[in-house]
Amino acid sequence: MQFNKSTITNDGISRYERDLYWISFPFNVNLKDVFGMGDYGTHWIIEYYDGKGRAEHGFWADSPSNWKFVTPAMRENGDDGNGYILEANTGYILALDLDELGSSSSVWENEVTEAYLYFPSNDDIHNIQNVASKDVNINQEGYQCIINRATGTQGDRRIKDSYWHCIGAPSYANVNQTVATEDPIVPDGELWNPEGLLYFYKWNKIDNTLTVQKTTPQSFKAMHSYLVQYSGTTLRWTDVTNTVPASVAARLTETIERDFQLSLIRDSIEEDQTLVRLTDDENVTNRFEFNYDLSKEYNAGKGNIWTVTADTVEVAGNSMPKPLQTTVVPVGIKVVANGEYTLSMPEGTNGEDVYLIDNAYGTRTNLGLMPYTVTLTAGTYEGRFALEFAPIQDSPTSLENDGLSRSDELNDANDDARKVFVGGRLYIIRDGKVYDAAGQRVE
């Protein structure tokens, strides 16, 4: 890993972007063999995610962080006196001490502007292979939480604190390659899909928070790590840089799936998002199911949004059966500052009727046509908001700027007007106003 003095000492860049790195390796590394920049425990240190400890003790409001330091003593001795092993395909945080790496640090002596850390494999080189797919075993012993205190839903930790892992893809991609993705350019040679895992948390380097993501088409970047809630004992990884895994392609073609992203926005900045998937997969229920749903991890210092399953579990990723009738899903929101907030579906509604219900005002807003903006005071809102899904259609009906001619007023070569099908009906949106196919204003 290369570190540039100009970046590390630049106060204009987020502190987290400079001192935290979510890393993973496709081979075992003996931490005491890692060498290079500065001293361990002074200039840099490794943290591991204690998912087993979380399951054993529960993660309460006053609990310490589940991220634990690998102390210098642990680094040298490990469990057997031979050193601490960074396990292959497991995620860790490399943390730098920016005070010790300031402009006057000994690391930058003699006009040094670049420093390095080297992570040598603890395995024979001929055993390291670059493969297109690989099954990785997940140790689940001790990762199931059995704590259930009779003090309401917050006392039942059996779902919220079970099966948490920090993981990485089994690859050592050439970082000089580039791959075009939803993020404009990803400086990694490969993207990997963990089959059987629908949602994961991605770390935000700007503000040290977590955001829920879909595994498809987002996928994992090689040599990075991600937080997941996964109960299986094996995870199959497939390189999807240029192809879609056969099992994923089959799932997309053989099942009806609709994905919805509900964003919480303040001052044009997304503070958080929650994901809902509607599917006819027979393994999915409206209750919480490990590997299909993802428990909500709350971020400090910014807004949070989530949905609630039928068994009252607060989730960031919610897989639900395809609705055969109108279905209402509770939405929870927590904001830390008074202000105006917008709830929107920036990726659209896949042509479906999806309404945002505000029980305080008795309003229903079709999010396929417009976002919903409301003034909120700092606090937690449970029971006020909900998503309403109409019975799902069997074919997509999304449409934008398709050139259909409808009304004289709206179709005079206006690039700002866009046409969408929602719920099987054509609407025209222009200047923030919604019109039907005949050009009549829709309230």
Coordinates of all heavy atoms in Angstrom, one line a residue, residues 364 369-370 434-435 440-443:
R364 N -50.7 11.2 0.4 CA -50.1 10.0 -0.4 C -49.5 10.6 -1.6 O -50.1 11.2 -2.4 CB -51.2 9.0 -0.8 CG -51.8 8.3 0.4 CD -53.1 7.5 -0.1 NE -52.7 6.3 -0.9 CZ -53.0 6.3 -2.2 NH1 -53.6 7.3 -2.9 NH2 -52.7 5.2 -2.9
L369 N -43.6 9.9 -9.6 CA -43.8 11.1 -10.3 C -43.1 12.3 -9.7 O -42.7 13.2 -10.3 CB -45.3 11.4 -10.4 CG -46.2 10.4 -11.1 CD1 -47.6 10.8 -11.0 CD2 -45.7 10.2 -12.5
M370 N -43.0 12.3 -8.4 CA -42.4 13.4 -7.7 C -41.9 13.0 -6.3 O -42.4 12.0 -5.7 CB -43.4 14.5 -7.5 CG -44.6 14.2 -6.7 SD -45.8 15.5 -6.6 CE -46.4 15.4 -8.3
V434 N -46.9 17.6 -13.0 CA -47.3 16.4 -13.6 C -48.6 16.5 -14.4 O -49.5 17.1 -14.0 CB -47.5 15.3 -12.5 CG1 -47.8 13.9 -13.2 CG2 -46.2 15.1 -11.7
Y435 N -48.5 16.0 -15.7 CA -49.7 16.0 -16.5 C -50.0 14.6 -17.0 O -49.2 13.7 -17.1 CB -49.4 16.9 -17.8 CG -49.0 18.3 -17.4 CD1 -47.7 18.6 -17.2 CD2 -49.9 19.3 -17.4 CE1 -47.3 19.9 -16.9 CE2 -49.5 20.6 -17.1 CZ -48.2 20.9 -16.8 OH -47.8 22.2 -16.6
Q440 N -53.6 17.2 -19.2 CA -54.3 17.8 -18.1 C -53.4 17.7 -16.9 O -52.8 16.7 -16.6 CB -55.6 17.1 -17.8 CG -56.6 17.2 -19.0 CD -57.0 18.6 -19.4 OE1 -57.3 19.4 -18.5 NE2 -56.9 19.0 -20.6
R441 N -53.3 18.8 -16.1 CA -52.5 18.8 -14.9 C -53.0 17.8 -13.9 O -54.2 17.7 -13.6 CB -52.5 20.2 -14.3 CG -51.8 20.4 -12.9 CD -50.3 20.5 -13.1 NE -49.7 20.5 -11.8 CZ -49.5 21.7 -11.1 NH1 -49.9 22.8 -11.6 NH2 -48.9 21.7 -9.9
V442 N -52.1 17.0 -13.3 CA -52.5 16.1 -12.3 C -52.1 16.6 -10.9 O -50.9 17.0 -10.7 CB -51.8 14.7 -12.5 CG1 -52.1 13.7 -11.4 CG2 -52.1 14.1 -13.8
E443 N -53.0 16.7 -10.0 CA -52.7 17.3 -8.7 C -52.1 16.2 -7.8 O -52.5 15.0 -7.9 CB -54.0 17.8 -8.0 CG -54.7 18.9 -8.8 CD -53.8 20.2 -8.8 OE1 -52.9 20.3 -7.9 OE2 -53.9 21.0 -9.8

